[in-house]
Amino acid sequence: MTSNEDVLSEQFQISRYNEKYLHSVNRKLFERESSSSMFERQFGEKLQKEEKLYIILGTDSGLLPTYLLQNKTPKNTRYLFIELPYIIDKIKENIPTNYDKDTFQFTTLDKWQETAEAFEINVYIYKDSIEYIKSFSAIDSFLIDYHSTNLQIIKELESIFFFTRALVGVFPFMTRQLVNISENKNSLTLLNNLFKGKTCVILGGGPSLDNDLEWIKENQENLVIIAVSRVSKTLLKNNITPHMVVCVDPYDVSFDVSKELLLMSKEVLFINANCVTSPLLSQWSGRNVCIGARFPWKEESDENCSIVGGPTVTNTALKAAIEMGFANILLTGVDLCYASSGVTHAKDSNEAKVGPTLGQPGIWVQTYAGDKAETQIAFDNAISALSKQAKSALDMGVTIYNLSANAAVAEYIDHIPTSALSFENEVNNAWEIINNALPPESQNSIQEDNNFVLTKVSKILKDIKQIKILAQEALECNEKMFSIKGKESENFKYKLRMDKIEIELDKKYKKASAFVKNFGLDKFIKSLQTSHEYWSDDQVKDTGQIYYQAYIDSSTTLIKHLEDTVDRIKSRKEEEKTSPDIAKLFEQWEKDKHFGRVKVWQTKHPEYKTILKNNYASELERFNTKFQDILSDEESQHMKKMKRESSLDGVKRKIVILFNQKNIDALKVLTHSLKLYDKNNHQAQELYINAEAYLAILKQDHQSALNYFDQLDADTFSEDELQQIAFLGINLSLYEKTSWALEKLSSISAKFTPQYGKVLNLLGEYDKSINVYSKYLADYPEDLMTWLALGKVYIKINAVESAQLAFKHVLAKEPKNINARELLQSITDLTQ
């Protein structure tokens, strides 16, 4: 293990390619190949894109920034290097001093956000132009501080991205809003404060849910049950019917993990975000309430809507429960950390099926039981959000408890075991409260609502079509204004017309214009400049072109989405007719791939058999079959992703990092997880033995540690294992073992050679020791301590002249070296 002090005093080594590097940072990486060719192969053009902010962890001993400085810097691109504090000054010695500080900056973990703000990180986030890159030194993490620094940067970046993007509309969310617009007629605010004084339990998807299922089953008549959608399969399997199910995610993966919701009783209330994945909401047969604005543009009807919470669905469910007025909120499955087996979710989930994700980097947190547990960075951010919510709830007189002792500790949330709870006085009339709060549905009310949204969508569609025409005219004016040089007065008329168009966009079409800009923010943001130099006419022209082209492109995309929305609303209207146009219904459901919508329609129209003509019976059957196939498909995209992430790659390095951090609790959890793997899994068994070896060292059980290492294939040992074997050999006085390990280490790095020579000396293998020292000193003649060691071996074999030469060499380099002088004098005294 290399200490900070060792690195501070470490000298740069020079590779065979005449490049300076620190062995503690990169080991022998740049001895095999030049750094430039390695960077070229690893990163290629990845670090050479225009309009990018590259945040890079590590500098590879200063070689990576040097490589970039030698290349032409891409337009409006910046490089922010984050380096370990005890390395940053050392590497600056090897970097040219005349670099452009508006393009390159070097900072440390504690100051990187401040530097990033100076580099306008928000603009780059808006433009989706941030790249986080790990150098070789950070990937390998031979210095373990790179590992913890990487986790902290990822955590902080996630938080910055979440809150920066939350300030603006993002088109994937808006497109889902448009698809969901007919279904989002009732707001969650209808339930505000209706459950005052009552107790609810929120069911998350964590491993502890499995332990509380029986208790939930026994008490489901006394509790209001609010479940996240991903546990629907588990609840169905255990005959538990929640009162409410919550889902917020707009992406397809959310449908993959939550589709069993569609098999639940229609009396369940679906609480969905306005942008929830559309296949889930469109194919739901029961009632629902919406979190967030119904329209993705400003409408008076949305003024008092609820606000979507985050960052996880559990945080959203908790926010909803607080707003509904519950006095006591219980949490189960809200672990926000891994189980001791390494599994992240309850047993019926895809995550549990594929097994633990041990190779992924994680953060270690405290559980209510007092143990250490691993968690994902996203979960760690959710813990912080949960604590803030709990503090706010407590101020309102709402108490929150976690039922699992194995959950991650969140401030202001206490643990309470289920055995301490009693609900004798609780009267559960949740269904009655919900049904009374929601307006009754009829064919007329649904038709009126669809007419309302159709009017709103049609109006905004009409305005956006006009905006596109104006933007096209403005784009032409922008081109003509700069087309003829030297005729500014003639060109000025185009500038006046552009100004009038801008006024029209800002006033007459204010609502629609704001919608277009918000929807196409990624395009409009490109007109923001990260360069603050004087603008030439060409730059002004280019910026105007980007700006109006953004209007045109965003309008074009929106017109298509809005036209689809109009068709879908008309289809929803058709669904409510007594004698609908069946062909149009099937056409819309097929287009959306919402085959289960046919079941929604069948539920609303039990007389459907008399409505359908014979030629649609087979079509009905086809849709029902396709829907069932989707529900029963186990090999979803999410499952494939989980299988990839369950790889054991990265576990070996993780073991070493935990060892160097002296994290005994974490290593215990890791060994326990590895032990649960099938005995025929050779990789898992090797990693288990390896982890036990390191754990034994931390427990000071050196013999057991060596026994574990002896069970492994010596050809697979890295520098880390060999160092520990050398250490164990010394502590157990097994110098042959130490000699073997050091011989292998010295072939990896010359820094171990003096230690190898010393052990050979202790073993009495003087000739071999002299040979090892001599070869080393031929390459590193300035190492005076090794010259002294060589002289001492010569004394042992009575090679007096050779010893004298060794000590005289030291004195020639360092005349005041007391050890050399005393040793030389002792030889002189013996020979007189």
Side-chain angles (χ1 to χ4, degrees):
M1 179 178 173
T2 306
S3 68
N4 298 0
E5 291 75 17
D6 291 338
V7 179
L8 285 169
S9 60
E10 184 180 358
Q11 298 299 309
F12 280 94
Q13 297 190 28
I14 300 176
S15 74
R16 56 193 291 196
Y17 302 98
N18 201 34
E19 295 177 329
K20 289 184 176 181
Y21 69 92
L22 294 166
H23 179 269
S24 61
V25 173
N26 292 112
R27 300 276 169 91
K28 303 288 279 187
L29 183 68
F30 300 123
E31 291 289 354
R32 299 192 292 268
E33 190 178 350
S34 70
S35 64
S36 58
S37 63
M38 291 196 73
F39 293 143
E40 196 68 40
R41 188 175 65 254
Q42 175 77 1
F43 303 116
E45 296 179 0
K46 194 176 182 181
L47 282 169
Q48 301 294 333
K49 297 175 184 175
E50 293 186 352
E51 300 281 351
K52 287 281 184 183
L53 172 58
Y54 290 104
I55 298 172
I56 305 171
L57 174 58
T59 59
D60 283 327
S61 303
L63 291 171
L64 182 52
T66 301
Y67 161 77
L68 292 170
L69 285 164
Q70 290 168 351
N71 296 323
K72 184 181 178 181
T73 304
K75 181 182 175 183
N76 293 337
T77 286
R78 290 167 171 167
Y79 300 90
L80 174 58
F81 283 93
I82 305 171
E83 188 54 277
L84 302 181
Y86 48 89
I87 287 180
I88 193 164
D89 290 333
K90 290 181 75 71
I91 61 99
K92 281 184 179 179
E93 297 172 14
N94 293 325
I95 296 171
T97 57
N98 61 343
Y99 65 86
D100 180 6
K101 292 177 177 57
D102 289 331
T103 303
F104 290 84
Q105 281 291 338
F106 300 87
T107 187
T108 50
L109 179 64
D110 59 332
K111 296 178 181 176
W112 84 267
Q113 291 190 57
E114 181 184 328
T115 311
E117 284 177 16
F119 264 11
E120 298 177 293
I121 186 173
N122 286 358
V123 175
Y124 286 103
I125 290 173
Y126 292 147
K127 297 172 87 165
D128 196 23
S129 292
I130 300 280
E131 291 271 1
Y132 175 54
I133 303 286
K134 290 196 290 183
S135 64
F136 286 116
S137 53
I139 293 168
D140 294 328
S141 289
F142 294 123
L143 290 175
I144 61 165
D145 287 345
Y146 281 120
H147 176 75
S148 56
T149 302
N150 171 55
L151 293 178
Q152 189 63 27
I153 292 170
I154 293 173
K155 179 181 175 181
E156 291 172 5
L157 262 178
E158 278 197 4
S159 181
I160 292 170
F161 269 70
F162 179 82
F163 288 108
T164 302
R165 285 175 169 166
L167 298 174
V168 296
V170 184
F171 76 90
F173 299 88
M174 289 183 170
T175 53
R176 290 298 197 196
Q177 268 181 282
L178 290 173
V179 176
N180 297 337
I181 205 160
S182 283
E183 281 66 62
N184 283 338
K185 53 184 167 289
N186 293 321
S187 173
L188 175 65
T189 54
L190 291 171
L191 302 181
N192 279 2
N193 298 313
L194 293 185
F195 291 89
K196 278 191 172 294
K198 292 189 175 292
T199 300
C200 74
V201 59
I202 295 176
L203 314 184
S208 69
L209 177 65
D210 296 329
N211 302 324
D212 292 329
L213 287 172
E214 278 305 312
W215 177 83
I216 294 165
K217 206 169 177 181
E218 291 168 7
N219 291 278
Q220 59 183 328
E221 298 302 322
N222 308 105
L223 281 165
V224 178
I225 302 172
I226 304 173
V228 302
S229 58
R230 65 154 41 242
V231 303
S232 298
K233 185 176 183 179
T234 297
L235 299 184
L236 284 167
K237 190 175 177 180
N238 288 274
N239 296 315
I240 296 171
T241 302
H243 297 91
M244 308 173 214
V245 173
V246 184
C247 189
V248 299
D249 198 333
Y251 300 107
D252 292 338
V253 66
S254 184
F255 178 76
D256 287 344
V257 300
S258 304
K259 58 190 178 184
E260 286 77 15
L261 164 67
L262 302 178
L263 299 173
M264 280 192 173
S265 165
K266 59 179 289 188
E267 67 182 344
V268 174
L269 179 67
F270 185 17
I271 301 177
N272 62 275
N274 52 10
C275 57
V276 74
T277 181
S278 302
L280 208 58
L281 181 59
S282 173
Q283 298 174 119
W284 170 241
S285 294
R287 301 295 300 271
N288 72 290
V289 290
C290 168
I291 308 172
R294 186 177 196 178
F295 298 94
W297 59 86
K298 193 170 183 180
E299 285 289 352
E300 286 182 15
S301 56
D302 280 331
E303 282 183 3
N304 297 316
C305 68
S306 60
I307 298 171
V308 179
T312 70
V313 63
T314 304
N315 296 111
T316 302
L318 178 58
K319 182 177 182 292
I322 294 168
E323 289 172 357
M324 283 187 265
F326 287 100
N328 299 294
I329 301 173
L330 309 176
L331 308 176
T332 179
V334 186
D335 301 31
L336 297 175
C337 63
Y338 304 170
S340 59
S341 63
V343 172
T344 58
H345 290 77
K347 65 182 178 183
D348 290 311
S349 64
N350 290 341
E351 291 86 348
K353 286 178 183 176
V354 300
T357 54
L358 303 180
Q360 302 296 313
I363 292 171
W364 293 85
V365 294
Q366 189 86 6
T367 68
Y368 289 103
D371 300 322
K372 289 284 187 183
E374 191 173 11
T375 192
Q376 301 170 10
I377 291 166
F379 284 175
D380 194 48
N381 281 330
I383 294 168
S384 300
L386 203 64
S387 297
K388 289 176 184 175
Q389 286 179 284
K391 171 67 168 65
S392 177
L394 203 57
D395 293 340
M396 296 162 57
V398 179
T399 52
I400 304 171
Y401 300 96
N402 200 313
L403 302 181
S404 175
N406 297 317
V409 173
E411 283 188 282
Y412 308 107
I413 297 177
D414 292 329
H415 163 60
I416 188 170
T418 55
S419 58
L421 296 171
S422 173
F423 304 105
E424 291 178 6
N425 299 320
E426 289 274 353
V427 178
N428 186 354
N429 58 341
W431 301 124
E432 183 183 344
I433 292 172
I434 291 168
N435 291 330
N436 289 338
L438 300 183
E441 280 194 328
S442 65
Q443 283 185 329
N444 285 338
S445 66
I446 294 171
Q447 288 289 33
E448 284 177 12
D449 185 74
N450 276 318
N451 286 332
F452 167 71
V453 290
L454 184 59
T455 301
K456 295 293 184 184
V457 173
S458 298
K459 174 66 169 67
I460 207 85
L461 173 59
K462 181 182 176 182
D463 288 352
I464 290 173
K465 284 179 177 178
Q466 191 58 42
I467 284 172
K468 182 179 177 181
I469 293 169
L470 289 170
Q472 287 170 330
E473 184 185 352
L475 188 64
E476 291 172 10
C477 288
N478 182 71
E479 180 68 31
K480 290 175 180 177
M481 189 168 67
F482 295 97
S483 60
I484 305 173
K485 301 290 183 184
K487 293 190 177 182
E488 283 74 12
S489 58
E490 187 176 328
N491 294 339
F492 191 65
K493 64 182 179 182
Y494 298 116
K495 171 71 167 62
L496 290 175
R497 179 56 188 149
M498 287 170 68
D499 289 343
K500 286 182 180 179
I501 289 172
E502 200 61 37
I503 290 169
E504 207 170 346
L505 290 172
D506 287 344
K507 292 190 175 178
K508 184 177 180 180
Y509 299 106
K510 183 179 180 180
K511 183 194 296 184
S513 181
F515 179 33
V516 172
K517 284 183 175 179
N518 212 11
F519 180 83
L521 184 66
D522 60 322
K523 297 177 181 66
F524 281 94
I525 214 77
K526 289 176 182 176
S527 64
L528 291 179
Q529 295 294 320
T530 51
S531 171
H532 299 289
E533 300 170 359
Y534 173 77
W535 283 23
S536 64
D537 283 352
D538 285 344
Q539 283 178 299
V540 175
K541 177 185 174 183
D542 289 347
T543 300
Q545 184 176 11
I546 293 169
Y547 178 72
Y548 289 112
Q549 192 62 52
Y551 258 122
I552 294 166
D553 293 344
S554 298
S555 296
T556 301
T557 306
L558 260 180
I559 288 167
K560 175 66 172 67
H561 282 300
L562 288 166
E563 286 175 342
D564 287 345
T565 302
V566 168
D567 289 343
R568 192 175 296 103
I569 296 169
K570 288 179 178 178
S571 176
R572 297 295 191 260
K573 283 168 57 66
E574 197 69 31
E575 287 177 20
E576 298 305 318
K577 292 181 179 179
T578 307
S579 300
D581 186 332
I582 302 298
K584 284 186 177 179
L585 295 184
F586 278 113
E587 182 184 350
Q588 185 64 51
W589 300 336
E590 178 92 56
K591 183 179 178 181
D592 290 336
K593 292 185 170 54
H594 295 172
F595 303 103
R597 185 76 191 173
V598 73
K599 280 193 171 294
V600 177
W601 180 74
Q602 284 176 274
T603 301
K604 287 184 178 180
H605 297 274
E607 75 284 5
Y608 70 90
K609 288 183 180 178
T610 60
I611 298 173
L612 286 175
K613 296 176 182 177
N614 289 334
N615 55 324
Y616 287 110
S618 61
E619 193 73 346
L620 180 71
E621 183 62 28
R622 183 174 74 86
F623 269 55
N624 279 323
T625 301
K626 291 201 82 164
F627 181 54
Q628 288 304 320
D629 289 344
I630 290 169
L631 290 182
S632 59
D633 182 18
E634 294 285 340
E635 282 300 310
S636 63
Q637 290 302 313
H638 181 259
M639 175 63 88
K640 291 172 184 175
K641 178 175 179 283
M642 290 300 100
K643 285 180 177 178
R644 288 194 302 271
E645 291 185 357
S646 67
S647 165
L648 289 169
D649 295 344
V651 173
K652 190 171 186 180
R653 189 68 204 148
K654 191 173 184 177
I655 291 167
V656 175
I657 287 166
L658 293 176
F659 168 77
N660 286 328
Q661 292 172 340
K662 295 183 171 58
N663 195 336
I664 292 178
D665 291 331
L667 265 178
K668 282 181 179 177
V669 172
L670 190 56
T671 52
H672 176 67
S673 300
L674 289 165
K675 193 175 183 180
L676 295 175
Y677 273 77
D678 191 300
K679 293 290 186 279
N680 294 321
N681 188 322
H682 180 71
Q683 185 185 13
Q685 293 308 306
E686 291 258 310
L687 289 168
Y688 165 71
I689 294 167
N690 192 282
E692 285 283 19
Y694 279 103
L695 190 56
I697 297 172
L698 291 178
K699 292 178 178 178
Q700 302 293 310
D701 187 354
H702 296 156
Q703 186 59 62
S704 293
L706 191 57
N707 291 342
Y708 280 121
F709 280 129
D710 284 343
Q711 295 177 47
L712 298 171
D713 181 358
D715 291 335
T716 66
F717 288 150
S718 68
E719 182 176 324
D720 300 290
E721 284 83 47
L722 291 168
Q723 284 191 71
Q724 297 311 316
I725 291 168
F727 160 78
L728 293 168
I730 290 170
N731 275 273
L732 296 169
S733 300
L734 299 172
Y735 299 116
E736 293 286 351
K737 180 69 76 173
T738 300
S739 173
W740 171 85
L742 286 171
E743 182 179 13
K744 287 189 170 295
L745 283 167
S746 64
S747 67
I748 295 172
S749 172
K751 80 172 189 174
F752 297 105
T753 304
Q755 297 174 55
Y756 179 40
K758 183 178 180 180
V759 171
L760 290 171
N761 179 24
L762 292 171
L763 289 170
E765 297 185 40
Y766 303 127
D767 290 343
K768 199 171 180 180
S769 177
I770 290 168
N771 188 44
V772 167
Y773 279 142
S774 299
K775 284 185 177 179
Y776 169 79
L777 289 169
D779 293 326
Y780 302 94
E782 302 302 313
D783 188 342
L784 302 184
M785 291 297 293
T786 302
W787 277 105
L788 289 172
L790 175 60
K792 291 177 184 177
V793 182
Y794 280 133
I795 291 174
K796 286 188 177 181
I797 63 170
N798 293 317
V800 175
E801 289 183 7
S802 296
Q804 287 176 324
L805 287 171
F807 300 140
K808 285 177 181 179
H809 176 83
V810 174
L811 289 169
K813 297 288 184 182
E814 195 177 280
K816 293 183 179 180
N817 190 299
I818 296 172
N819 283 341
R821 191 169 297 282
E822 288 179 350
L823 287 165
L824 189 60
Q825 185 61 49
S826 66
I827 294 173
T828 304
D829 293 343
L830 286 171
T831 55
Q832 286 179 349

